Amino acid sequence: MAQPKGNVGYMFVGDKSIEFYRDPITFVNKQMQEHDTRIFQSRLLNKPTIFLGTIQGVQDLVGECSHNFEMGYKVFMHGLYGDNVVFSEGEEAKRLRDVLHCIFQPDNVQQFNNKLQDLIVKHFSHMDTGTEISAYERFKHFATELSFSIFLDVVPDHSDEVNELLSQLITTHWHGIISVPLSLRMPYWGSKSGYNKAVEAKGKLIEIIRDRLEKANKGDFLHRITEAGFQNQTEVENHLLLFISALVPKAFASILTSFTLALSGQDKSSQRHQACVDSKYLDHVLLEVQRLWPPFFGGRRLTRKSCVLDGIQVQQGTAVIYMTHAAHRDPKVFPDPEEFKPERWEEK
């Protein structure tokens, strides 16, 4: 058992939050190089924080040691999302996961295919190959409409106004996540804080969700989720709010953009062909894309009981941030970690 390298500094003056959130990857890489370790400590959000950049450390955190931690972002996000599976623990989390497993059984997911195919045709069948576009923005628009279509049963071709309204609301709602969680009004300027606007957007989204639930047809996703076993209407609404969050299409667009870039260029023609004809190889390409360019940089936990993560002592009250980008480049698990090698997954 060892103590973490690094320095947590003094309160306020030693805080590295601005430096970290300005560029998380650069911050972590610099610290790992400076301390010659993939696990180090610093001060973030004015709290001593352990950063994990190893696969074993992350496995310990979310696996056998998970009961020693609580969610680290609940204080920022709960007010905008309410109670849902993300913030639940213990038996409550198990109950909600069981409900969600029922909803997303293979037979149910199969029903999404028609909606997926319709949106693929709408967004990609008439693309001008000679025109430069933003791949990320195109994929995000596609993923946003797909989310509304699946989870709110919005018909894309007949609901442009609804899609536009929902897109504006989920964007405003998402911006509240990266705002200070205070509801402030500035009466003399007539403006509101980003968090206050997000709370209002949440209220409007819940109203739309309730309206869609009332109009649900038997067999639709909205009908199935009401019959899935949630304890009350609020649980249903909160999970639908989570499903249509702007975070989902952003993550989806990030993966699709990275996938496109990874297989672009004349030198990747053989890989593109193999991915088209070999579904197993396509799976390996997608795994390698998510390894190298994960859509989320990581997550945060708060330590409620001292424990050991990958041989490093973590004290009660310490925050822990697992850095997906760094852990996925752990050379102990992934030789040549910076190389794009889909074939490495054949052995996993």
Side-chain angles (χ1 to χ4, degrees):
M1 181 190 313
Q3 297 299 316
K5 294 182 179 180
N7 190 348
V8 299
Y10 295 103
M11 292 183 66
F12 303 112
V13 294
D15 190 81
K16 301 294 183 181
S17 298
I18 294 177
E19 185 179 345
F20 172 76
Y21 285 110
R22 183 185 295 125
D23 189 339
I25 294 173
T26 297
F27 174 83
V28 169
N29 287 341
K30 178 181 177 182
Q31 294 293 319
M32 289 194 304
Q33 184 176 11
E34 180 179 327
H35 300 296
D36 192 28
T37 178
R38 303 189 71 82
I39 300 178
F40 63 90
Q41 64 180 344
S42 186
R43 181 175 290 275
L44 199 70
L45 299 175
N46 206 35
K47 197 173 191 66
T49 302
I50 303 288
F51 289 80
L52 298 177
T54 67
I55 291 293
Q56 186 59 58
V58 176
Q59 287 180 336
D60 291 345
L61 176 68
V62 301
E64 63 180 30
C65 295
S66 61
H67 60 281
N68 295 320
F69 298 90
E70 60 184 87
M71 285 293 298
Y73 288 116
K74 186 172 182 178
V75 65
F76 304 109
M77 299 176 66
H78 184 267
L80 293 178
Y81 284 96
D83 291 324
N84 61 47
V85 68
V86 173
F87 306 123
S88 300
E89 300 180 62
E91 290 302 313
E92 179 71 1
K94 182 181 182 305
R95 177 184 67 81
L96 291 173
R97 285 197 298 268
D98 288 343
V99 173
L100 294 175
H101 285 161
C102 292
I103 300 172
F104 294 106
Q105 288 294 319
D107 290 345
N108 292 334
V109 174
Q110 192 67 26
Q111 297 179 22
F112 300 155
N113 277 348
N114 289 339
K115 295 181 177 182
L116 176 61
Q117 293 302 320
D118 289 344
L119 283 167
I120 288 174
V121 170
K122 176 182 177 180
H123 287 273
F124 305 113
S125 63
H126 304 296
M127 289 179 62
D128 182 356
T129 56
T131 303
E132 185 176 306
I133 65 167
S134 167
Y136 175 78
E137 289 300 325
R138 178 64 66 94
F139 285 135
K140 186 173 71 170
H141 189 195
F142 161 73
T144 299
E145 287 199 4
L146 180 62
S147 175
F148 299 156
S149 178
I150 289 175
F151 300 124
L152 292 182
D153 293 321
V154 174
V155 181
D157 287 337
H158 304 123
S159 309
D160 286 342
E161 290 184 6
V162 175
N163 278 319
E164 181 63 27
L165 174 61
L166 284 167
S167 296
Q168 292 174 359
L169 289 173
I170 66 169
T171 299
T172 303
H173 182 241
W174 165 248
H175 286 166
I177 301 298
I178 53 179
S179 302
V180 177
L182 296 174
S183 294
L184 300 176
R185 290 178 181 269
M186 307 295 289
Y188 295 106
W189 289 273
S191 62
K192 308 169 187 175
S193 70
Y195 187 80
N196 188 275
K197 292 177 181 178
V199 171
E200 291 184 358
K202 173 193 173 184
K204 293 177 182 178
L205 286 167
I206 292 295
E207 288 178 7
I208 293 173
I209 288 170
R210 286 173 183 164
D211 180 64
R212 303 299 297 183
L213 286 169
E214 289 176 2
K215 298 176 180 177
N217 297 314
K218 190 171 183 179
D220 289 345
F221 179 82
L222 287 173
H223 179 263
R224 292 201 305 274
I225 196 172
T226 59
E227 302 291 320
F230 286 111
Q231 290 185 341
N232 51 56
Q233 176 85 357
T234 300
E235 279 192 353
V236 174
E237 294 169 359
N238 286 348
H239 281 86
L240 285 170
L241 181 66
L242 178 66
F243 296 160
I244 65 170
S245 165
L247 188 63
V248 176
K250 284 176 180 289
F252 195 19
S254 175
I255 292 172
L256 290 176
T257 303
S258 298
F259 170 79
T260 301
L261 294 175
L263 293 187
S264 64
Q266 294 182 351
D267 60 324
K268 300 292 179 62
S269 59
S270 62
Q271 287 181 306
R272 288 197 297 273
H273 174 73
Q274 188 174 353
C276 287
V277 300
D278 185 346
S279 61
K280 211 171 251 191
Y281 181 74
L282 176 60
D283 287 342
H284 295 160
V285 168
L286 290 169
L287 285 169
E288 187 69 347
V289 165
Q290 292 177 78
R291 181 188 73 83
L292 279 170
W293 305 289
F296 307 114
F297 69 76
R300 184 172 183 260
R301 300 287 189 272
L302 297 176
T303 312
R304 54 188 171 199
K305 183 179 179 181
S306 300
C307 63
V308 176
L309 300 176
D310 195 10
I312 300 297
Q313 178 70 43
V314 180
Q315 298 293 338
Q316 179 182 359
T318 302
V320 176
I321 287 186
Y322 59 94
M323 293 298 300
T324 311
H325 184 275
H328 286 185
R329 286 164 168 76
D330 186 347
K332 289 184 178 179
V333 180
F334 301 108
D336 302 317
E338 296 295 339
E339 298 295 320
F340 180 74
K341 292 183 175 181
E343 59 273 14
R344 75 170 79 239
W345 295 95
E346 295 175 3
E347 305 169 2
K348 301 295 181 183

